[in-house]
């Protein structure tokens, strides 16, 4: 039928062109053109309707992904966007487009096979057992099951008509949050192994006049640098080939705005992300019809996968949400989804902490730590986090050249072990947490000496180091046991250990596993091995808070975050930098996940640094004993203030009010679900003369009918606020006119709290 449609549209176009050339009488010409357009308008959709054997919609609260099966049993995406009131009208959508011909009938394939009719970027590429490279996938059946209230799972089975090869596409949809997780599963019953050369999780298809990509790049201390460009024809690929710490140069999160770049409150925008902590690949291809094909999943780089008959190859999920109300709405949907369904303990609480990394680095002993435990209590935070440098004896971890892999307490620094520190912490009235980097090894370590075969390195080539270290081969089950035991031993010896910071500083060079029979499986098996370990840890220790760190934000993705309660966005804690960075992270990850520490980085005053860190999960990495009396008083009060508003920041709705890239003041608002109360953080991000709040900042997310009192909080001792806390304003006023936080060079950061007055 596609072919008939195609010839019909060609015929119509040729006829119209001919008509335009030959008829000179304008009225006759118009009448004839009108008649032909009308007839073809009726005929084409009618034929399309006849051709359909099934329409498969995935509907969420506001959106619909509509797939269709034609008479040829091709499964295509006919529509993705806002849900129609009448589902019966989805089948009329294709008839409303007059785009160029599709020579294959597959441009909008729901999972594009290669080697048969396809001419564009495939979602899957294979070599069959008999050496043939062609694949065709036809619809066989589909079913929908209810996973839980508001969550359903659609699965669609596709099969090659020639080869005994099939793919099941899965769409897990979260109704209220408008989120879909999509993945695929591949299997075959051929007479030998099949090699998968590409195996995307998802293949999407968008239609718009233009597409605007917001993507991110970075490096150490420069994570989440945004770039926004119009997507041109050809293929734009976002990917990573780093193996571990895979977001060092680029994360898989991205946005596509339709027709024009979406703003915070306006525009249609899709957010996408691959739930995978290894190499990923997202292809964005504008096809000859000017539609956008998105093909996302694990990176197939150096990874042809040999699949035995009867085995399942299951991809990780590609996650997406869509909003026609701008970036703010899309991000709030993702935040709710993450807290409700994905994050470890997403609806739970978090611990504030004092970390010793920047105050001691590797140089500490029991006396110094005892002091830090007392400082933790003095500060008023919940936990002390002991960072790198506590382990290694034959090769003590006194700098980053030695010790990784030898997870025994260093007898010189900690003669009484971790358990005595935990007891001491308890006596001081605080909890105790610890840093580990369990996937790594220094060549200067007993582990390396004992198990050189556990290390990822090329047997015939020189070793090449990243931060003087190598990565352990987590594809090897014995290494998985070793890594699991690092955590398990810590908890067995010290059951009261309350927190883990899990670091991962190195990328994979010289990818080679002495355990793997097939080196092409290595990159995938590494991540599967990592997830195996994390699953085992979570099965045994379901509630312990764990921070996901990777030399900063080198591993921030929802594949990993299902095991972690929070992540470390960057080693760059300069508060000015963090305002920009946290802003970008906040599109994709809720504030409860963002570990923000107050450190000595940057030139901003202490209050500014604390305010910036409060916009997520607050922590400190400063020398408390060096604070002046006034600074100490401020920080102690700030922790109490934070405790009084943290629930709103962690579980509330976030609204970005004033963008630091376009304004000299950045403003971000968090409000509780009932719209009764909230906090607004405001910062001066431009130090040039006379910059600041000239105009009020319009609030968002309030109840227009409620009256609110606005007061300034988290003031530095001795300062008075120009904000009159006695006045009340309607939500209507605060959202239409706004409120002036009066940020200027004398008030570089201002935190406001609003509360319903009645
Ligand atoms: C990484 C982390 C830091 C710190 C050091 C310790 O760089 O990002 O926070 O833990 O390792 O070596």
């Amino acid at each position: 039928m596609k072919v008939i449609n195609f010839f019909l549209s060609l015929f119509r176009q040729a006829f119209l062109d001919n008509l335009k050339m030959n008829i000179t009488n304008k009225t006759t010409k118009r009448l004839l053109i009108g008649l032909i357009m009308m007839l073809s308008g009726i005929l084409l959709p009618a034929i399309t309707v006849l051709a359909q054997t099934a329409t498969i919609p995935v509907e969420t609260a506001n959106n619909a992904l509509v797939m269709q099966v034609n008479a040829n049993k091709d499964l295509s995406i006919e529509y993705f966007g806002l849900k129609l009131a009448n589902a019966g009208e989805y089948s009329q959508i294709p008839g409303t487009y007059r785009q160029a011909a599709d020579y294959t009938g597959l441009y909008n394939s729901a999972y594009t096979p290669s080697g048969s009719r396809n001419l564009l970027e495939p979602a899957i590429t294979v070599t069959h057992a008999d050496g043939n490279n062609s694949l065709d996938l036809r619809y066989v059946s589909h079913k929908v099951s209810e996973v839980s209230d508001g969550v359903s799972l659609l699965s669609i089975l596709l099969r090659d008509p020639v080869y005994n090869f099939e793919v099941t596409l899965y769409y897990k949809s979260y109704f209220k949050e408008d989120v879909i997780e999509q993945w695929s599963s591949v299997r075959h019953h051929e007479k030998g192994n099949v090699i998968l050369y590409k195996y995307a999780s998802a293949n999407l298809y968008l239609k718009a006049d233009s597409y605007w990509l917001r993507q991110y790049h970075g490096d150490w201390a420069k994570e989440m640098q945004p770039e926004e460009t119009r997507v041109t024809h050809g293929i734009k690929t976002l990917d990573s080939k780093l193996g571990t710490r895979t977001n060092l140069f680029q994360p898989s999160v991205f946005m596509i705005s339709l027709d024009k770049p979406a703003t915070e409150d306006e525009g249609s925008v899709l957010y996408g992300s691959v739930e995978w902590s290894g190499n990923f690949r997202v292809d964005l291809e504008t096809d000859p019809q000017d539609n956008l094909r998105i093909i996302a999943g694990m990176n197939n780089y150096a990874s042809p996968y040999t699949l035995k008959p009867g085995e399942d190859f299951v991809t990780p999920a590609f996650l997406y949400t869509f909003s026609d109300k701008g970036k703010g709405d899309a991000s709030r949907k993702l935040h709710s989804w993450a807290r409700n369904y994905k994050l470890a303990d997403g609806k739970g609480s978090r611990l504030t902490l004092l970390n010793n990394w920047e105050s001691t680095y590797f140089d500490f002993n029991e006396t110094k730590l005892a002091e830090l435990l007392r400082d933790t209590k003095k500060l008023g935070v919940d936990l002390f986090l002991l960072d790198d440098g506590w382990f290694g004896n034959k090769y003590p971890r006194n700098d980053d050249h030695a010790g990784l892999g030898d997870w025994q307490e260093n007898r010189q620094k900690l003669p009484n072990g971790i358990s005595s520190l935990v007891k001491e912490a308890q006596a001081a009235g605080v909890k105790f947490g610890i840093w580990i980097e369990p996937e790594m090894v220094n060549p200067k370590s007993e582990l390396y000496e004992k198990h050189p075969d556990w290390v990822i390195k090329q047997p015939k080539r020189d070793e090449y180091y990243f931060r003087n270290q190598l990565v352990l081969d987590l594809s090897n089950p014995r290494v998985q046991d070793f890594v699991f035991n690092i955590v398990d031993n810590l908890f067995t010896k010290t059951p009261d250990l309350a927190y883990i910071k899990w670091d991962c500083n190195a990328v994979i060079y010289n990818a080679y596993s002495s355990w793997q029979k097939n080196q092409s499986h290595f990159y995938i098996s590494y991540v599967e091995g990592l997830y195996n370990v994390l699953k085992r840890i979570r099965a045994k220790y379901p509630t312990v808070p764990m921070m996901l760190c990777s030399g900063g934000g080198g591993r921030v993705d929802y594949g990993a975050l299902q095991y972690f309660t929070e992540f470390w966005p960057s080693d760059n804690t300069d508060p000015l930098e963090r305002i920009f960075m946290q802003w970008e992270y906040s599109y994709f990850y809720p504030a409860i996940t963002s570990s923000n520490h107050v450190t000595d980085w940057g030139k901003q005053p202490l209050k500014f640094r604390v305010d910036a860190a409060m916009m997520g999960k607050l922590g400190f990495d400063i020398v408390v004993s060096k604070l002046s009396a006034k600074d100490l008083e401020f920080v102690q009060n700030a922790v109490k203030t934070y405790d009084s508003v943290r629930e709103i920041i962690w579980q509330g709705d976030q609204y970005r009010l004033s963008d630091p890239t376009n304004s000299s003041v950045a403003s971000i608002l968090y409000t509780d679900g009932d719209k009764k109360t909230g906090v607004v953080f405001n910062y001066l991000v431009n130090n040039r003369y006379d910059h600041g709040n000239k105009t009020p900042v319009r609030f968002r997310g309030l109840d227009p009918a409620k009256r609110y009192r606005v007061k300034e909080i988290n003031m530095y001792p001795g300062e008075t606020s120009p904000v009159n806390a006695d006045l009340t304003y309607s939500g209507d006023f605060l959202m239409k006119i706004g409120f002036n936080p009066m940020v200027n060079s004398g008030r570089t950061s201002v935190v406001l709290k609003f509360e319903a007055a009645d």
Side-chain angles (χ1 to χ4, degrees):
M1 276 309 158
K2 283 264 179 206
V3 179
I4 296 175
N5 273 342
F6 168 56
F7 282 114
L8 255 172
S9 56
L10 278 189
F11 167 73
R12 183 186 63 180
Q13 201 52 48
F15 194 76
L16 285 173
D17 291 342
N18 203 11
L19 203 68
K20 279 178 199 157
M21 282 194 299
N22 295 331
I23 299 179
T24 41
N25 177 315
K26 271 192 182 160
T27 321
T28 324
K29 192 160 110 181
R30 271 200 208 119
L31 269 174
L32 265 169
I33 290 176
L35 187 68
I36 288 161
M37 289 302 280
M38 198 181 80
L39 276 174
S40 60
I42 294 166
L43 201 57
L44 280 178
I47 287 170
T48 313
V49 169
L50 279 178
Q52 292 154 19
T53 55
T55 297
I56 311 174
V58 183
E59 289 192 325
T60 55
N62 298 289
N63 304 330
L65 166 66
V66 183
M67 284 166 284
Q68 277 185 1
V69 182
N70 65 15
N72 195 42
K73 302 283 183 194
D74 295 321
L75 179 72
S76 60
I77 297 177
E78 295 301 345
Y79 176 68
F80 180 77
L82 285 183
K83 182 158 98 175
L84 296 183
N86 175 2
E89 288 184 320
Y90 287 126
S91 57
Q92 285 177 251
I93 296 173
T96 60
Y97 285 83
R98 293 290 178 272
Q99 296 177 302
D102 174 350
Y103 301 113
T104 65
L106 286 175
Y107 290 0
N108 60 346
S109 170
Y111 200 70
T112 316
S114 72
S116 49
R117 282 170 294 154
N118 174 47
L119 298 173
L120 304 178
E121 182 61 31
I124 180 165
T125 312
V126 306
T127 296
H128 294 285
D130 65 1
N132 189 288
N133 291 328
S134 72
L135 184 66
D136 194 359
L137 292 170
R138 307 288 175 94
Y139 169 87
V140 178
S141 62
H142 73 278
K143 59 172 189 263
V144 184
S145 55
E146 174 107 352
V147 177
S148 59
D149 197 22
V151 185
S152 4
L153 183 66
L154 161 70
S155 61
I156 308 177
L157 178 63
L158 308 173
R159 189 171 293 139
D160 190 303
V162 176
Y163 285 89
N164 198 340
F165 184 100
E166 58 189 42
V167 175
T168 309
L169 306 179
Y170 291 92
Y171 302 80
K172 191 170 183 184
S173 53
Y174 300 83
F175 189 84
K176 225 172 103 209
E177 294 82 7
D178 283 322
V179 165
I180 298 180
E181 283 180 297
Q182 191 181 330
W183 69 95
S184 57
S185 167
V186 182
R187 87 197 62 79
H188 69 90
H189 295 282
E190 297 188 17
K191 289 205 177 79
N193 295 338
V194 167
I195 301 180
L196 309 177
Y197 286 96
K198 193 172 184 194
Y199 27 74
S201 303
N203 187 167
L204 284 185
Y205 200 65
L206 303 177
K207 288 182 181 232
D209 289 335
S210 59
Y211 310 93
W212 299 83
L213 169 68
R214 189 174 186 84
Q215 63 176 103
Y216 296 90
H217 68 104
D219 204 331
W220 178 77
K222 287 191 288 192
E223 291 86 344
M224 289 304 274
Q225 307 292 318
E227 281 173 326
E228 193 152 318
T229 46
R230 185 174 175 158
V231 185
T232 54
H233 287 79
I235 301 181
K236 168 83 184 178
T237 299
L238 310 176
D239 83 337
S240 172
K241 302 182 184 77
L242 279 60
T244 50
R245 202 179 172 168
T246 43
N247 294 357
L248 179 64
F249 303 143
Q250 184 159 65
S252 76
V253 291
F254 67 95
M255 295 179 197
I256 294 287
S257 298
L258 305 183
D259 302 326
K260 58 177 187 229
T263 63
E264 224 26 60
D265 299 305
E266 282 172 4
S268 296
V269 62
L270 173 120
Y271 282 26
S273 163
V274 185
E275 294 181 30
W276 185 242
S277 310
N279 295 344
F280 60 83
R281 171 170 170 181
V282 179
D283 292 316
L284 303 157
E285 180 179 30
T286 309
D287 73 8
Q289 290 184 325
D290 306 329
N291 300 321
L292 185 69
R293 308 174 70 245
I294 302 177
I295 296 175
M298 292 185 286
N299 201 339
N300 53 346
Y301 161 73
S303 302
Y305 199 93
T306 303
L307 190 65
K308 292 185 190 134
E311 260 182 13
D312 281 321
F313 179 86
V314 184
T315 73
F318 174 62
L319 164 76
Y320 50 98
T321 187
F322 175 80
S323 171
D324 70 322
K325 295 179 191 64
K327 295 192 281 192
D329 184 53
S331 74
R332 285 184 289 281
K333 287 173 177 178
L334 217 47
H335 294 177
S336 305
W337 170 81
R339 285 181 304 227
N340 288 336
Y341 300 104
K342 204 65 183 186
L343 284 177
D345 201 21
K347 301 299 279 179
S349 187
R350 297 292 186 270
L351 300 169
T352 52
L353 58 85
L354 175 68
N355 186 198
N356 70 315
W357 175 238
E358 295 196 8
S359 59
T360 67
Y361 293 106
F362 297 95
D363 180 20
F364 53 81
N365 55 27
E366 284 185 347
T367 322
K368 218 179 220 180
L369 291 180
E371 212 177 288
L372 290 173
L373 290 174
R374 286 193 294 275
D375 286 346
T376 310
K377 184 69 187 169
K378 202 196 267 180
L379 211 54
V381 290
D382 303 315
L383 174 129
F384 173 73
L385 169 60
L386 176 60
D387 215 282
D388 196 356
W390 57 269
F391 49 89
N393 284 299
K394 182 172 176 192
Y395 301 103
R397 180 77 172 164
N398 291 329
D399 58 40
D400 62 14
H401 286 80
L404 279 179
D406 301 346
W407 299 101
Q408 298 81 34
E409 295 96 327
N410 178 278
R411 283 187 291 273
Q412 244 156 31
K413 290 185 198 174
L414 308 177
N416 295 300
I418 299 291
S419 46
S420 110
L421 286 173
V422 174
K423 276 195 204 109
E424 217 168 310
Q426 282 171 332
V430 293
K431 294 178 192 254
F432 191 92
I434 203 158
W435 177 98
I436 50 174
E437 195 181 1
E439 297 157 77
M440 303 288 159
V441 63
N442 282 122
K444 266 192 182 174
S445 67
E446 292 183 71
L447 180 71
Y448 183 94
E449 288 174 349
K450 257 191 255 159
H451 296 289
D453 54 319
W454 285 8
V455 179
I456 297 166
K457 54 179 184 156
Q458 287 288 348
K460 294 181 195 153
R461 294 184 194 280
D462 290 344
E463 291 177 3
Y464 194 74
Y465 306 122
F466 197 107
R467 208 193 185 204
N468 317 302
Q469 65 195 58
L470 292 164
V471 184
L472 291 175
D473 178 11
L474 265 174
S475 73
N476 181 340
R478 286 177 58 207
V479 178
Q480 293 171 26
D481 288 344
F482 169 78
V483 174
F484 170 76
N485 285 331
I486 296 170
V487 177
D488 196 33
N489 289 341
L490 279 169
F491 283 115
T492 313
K493 277 209 270 177
T494 28
D496 289 330
L497 197 64
Y499 187 93
I500 297 279
K501 175 177 176 183
W502 180 302
D503 212 338
C504 163
N505 278 290
V507 301
I508 294 179
Y509 295 119
N510 286 318
Y512 179 88
S513 153
S514 54
W515 186 82
Q516 286 283 336
K517 284 198 189 74
N518 184 343
Q519 295 302 319
S520 302
H521 289 197
F522 167 71
Y523 281 122
I524 294 175
S525 300
Y526 182 92
V527 183
E528 285 173 347
L530 171 69
Y531 290 164
N532 277 346
V533 172
L534 290 166
K535 257 181 226 148
R536 282 170 72 186
I537 292 173
R538 277 307 178 201
K540 195 155 177 195
Y541 307 104
T543 55
V544 62
M546 296 210 294
M547 184 209 281
L548 176 61
C549 174
S550 184
R555 183 190 269 166
V556 186
D557 65 82
Y558 279 115
L561 276 170
Q562 58 189 307
Y563 307 106
F564 290 86
T565 47
E566 55 221 68
F567 67 85
W568 182 236
S570 175
D571 280 351
N572 187 342
T573 45
D574 176 329
L576 200 57
E577 294 292 332
R578 275 298 186 104
I579 286 165
F580 290 82
M581 223 183 261
Q582 289 168 199
W583 180 281
E584 299 300 332
Y585 271 120
S586 81
Y587 285 120
F588 303 95
Y589 303 100
I592 191 169
T593 56
S594 181
S595 296
N596 305 336
H597 292 184
V598 178
T599 70
D600 286 334
W601 281 57
K603 299 185 186 72
Q604 316 300 323
L606 181 64
K607 172 173 158 54
F608 192 108
R609 288 185 271 145
V610 173
D611 288 350
M614 279 167 84
M615 292 195 294
K617 214 222 72 174
L618 177 68
F620 293 84
D621 200 341
I622 49 170
V623 184
V624 177
S625 56
K626 282 196 188 147
L627 293 175
S628 70
K630 246 184 171 182
D631 276 356
L632 179 64
E633 184 191 341
F634 165 70
V635 175
Q636 287 169 326
N637 288 337
V639 172
K640 287 189 197 120
T641 305
Y642 179 71
D643 288 345
S644 71
V645 296
R646 63 192 205 178
E647 207 50 36
I648 306 169
I649 296 167
W650 295 346
Q651 299 295 342
D653 294 325
Q654 182 178 356
Y655 292 82
R656 289 168 218 85
L657 306 180
S658 174
D659 186 341
T661 46
N662 306 325
S663 162
S664 54
V665 176
S667 296
I668 299 109
L669 178 148
Y670 301 79
T671 172
D672 69 331
D674 297 337
K675 301 173 188 285
K676 279 193 183 141
T677 177
V679 227
V680 191
F681 294 89
N682 308 275
Y683 309 92
L684 187 69
V685 291
N686 185 335
N687 286 322
R688 293 193 64 190
Y689 176 71
D690 201 27
H691 276 264
N693 283 126
K694 308 275 184 226
T695 52
V697 177
R698 280 191 206 101
F699 287 8
R700 293 267 178 275
L702 274 59
D703 179 347
K706 279 197 169 75
R707 288 201 76 76
Y708 295 91
R709 189 163 276 128
V710 185
K711 67 171 181 201
E712 184 170 353
I713 59 169
N714 216 33
M715 300 283 298
Y716 193 79
E719 300 281 320
T720 49
S721 174
V723 172
N724 182 345
D726 295 329
L727 296 179
T728 63
Y729 307 83
S730 66
D732 180 56
F733 181 91
L734 290 171
M735 291 196 288
K736 286 181 181 158
I737 307 300
F739 186 89
N740 197 324
M742 290 173 270
V743 166
N744 57 45
S745 57
R747 286 164 53 78
T748 55
S749 72
V750 173
V751 186
L752 303 169
K753 183 171 183 192
F754 61 86
E755 262 167 319
D758 26 72

